[in-house]
Amino acid sequence: MNDPVKVDILRFDFTPNLIREPELENVYYAKDLWSVVYILSDGRIKEAYIGETTDTFSRMAAHLKNSDKSKLSEVHIVTSNTFNKSATLDIESNLIRYFSGDGKYRLLNGNVGLANHNYYQKPQYWEIFRSIWDQLRAKGIAQHSLEHIDNSDLFKYSPYKSLS
């Protein structure tokens, strides 16, 4: 990962029309089956779901058919030219843990995703995760810094946080 890492967070309305959105169809990583991470959310009802996939279109279609997730209003798709399946599983897991500690949304996720696995360049992906979190805060999707969450009792005793 010597080249600069570019991470994009793209926002779309989460409606049945999403699958046919020209803007989504033009997202290279979505149409060419690359690993992406996504956040379904609704600021009004303060609920969110975090996932990862290599098939963005079919995954969004499945979520739109789910009664709990279809009531969410927007999706943020996180893409990068450096993502691989291991990295997106790790980023998904970290997003679930930190969103839980952030407290802005009630998560619909039933688990923390695939946590505590090792893979090539994992330390570099922590820095990418920090960049993603900073972008989410700048967009108003997350509210607290990682350091604030790490030091909060809510995070320390979260069911998504594994004890050491």
Side-chain angles (χ1 to χ4, degrees):
M1 283 194 295
N2 293 337
D3 294 335
V5 175
K6 182 167 173 29
V7 174
D8 290 315
I9 301 175
L10 309 168
R11 186 207 171 279
F12 299 94
D13 291 334
F14 190 61
T15 68
N17 294 331
L18 173 66
I19 309 305
R20 294 177 298 284
E21 276 293 321
E23 290 82 16
L24 183 58
E25 289 177 0
N26 289 329
V27 175
Y28 171 77
Y29 299 103
K31 73 178 181 182
D32 282 2
L33 304 176
W34 284 81
S35 293
V36 301
V37 180
Y38 59 89
I39 304 159
L40 303 175
S41 64
D42 189 290
R44 187 180 49 78
I45 61 174
K46 302 292 185 200
E47 290 184 341
Y49 177 85
I50 297 163
E52 66 80 34
T53 187
T54 55
D55 190 343
T56 304
F57 292 94
S58 66
R59 196 70 181 123
M60 293 303 115
H63 287 319
L64 284 163
K65 292 177 185 172
N66 178 288
S67 61
D68 289 331
K69 295 172 193 149
S70 65
K71 65 185 174 185
L72 303 175
S73 61
E74 59 187 27
V75 59
H76 289 86
I77 300 174
V78 183
T79 67
S80 174
N81 60 336
T82 64
F83 282 1
N84 59 58
K85 188 67 170 180
S86 292
T88 56
L89 288 168
D90 195 40
I91 291 167
E92 173 199 34
S93 176
N94 282 324
L95 283 173
I96 292 169
R97 289 181 331 119
Y98 280 96
F99 263 83
S100 173
D102 190 49
K104 182 168 182 171
Y105 295 101
R106 183 179 76 79
L107 290 181
L108 300 176
N109 294 72
N111 62 43
V112 71
L114 181 60
N116 299 324
H117 70 287
N118 285 316
Y119 59 93
Y120 181 65
Q121 295 181 322
K122 185 173 183 171
Q124 290 93 326
Y125 277 98
W126 175 250
E127 293 307 313
I128 293 170
F129 176 77
R130 293 182 71 78
S131 170
I132 291 167
W133 191 261
D134 290 345
Q135 287 184 54
L136 292 171
R137 286 185 67 207
K139 293 176 182 288
I141 303 162
Q143 58 187 359
H144 296 294
S145 71
L146 294 175
E147 292 76 15
H148 175 87
I149 295 168
D150 280 337
N151 292 317
S152 72
D153 285 341
L154 179 65
F155 185 69
K156 290 176 187 172
Y157 302 112
S158 165
Y160 294 107
K161 175 104 167 90
S162 60
L163 298 175
S164 57

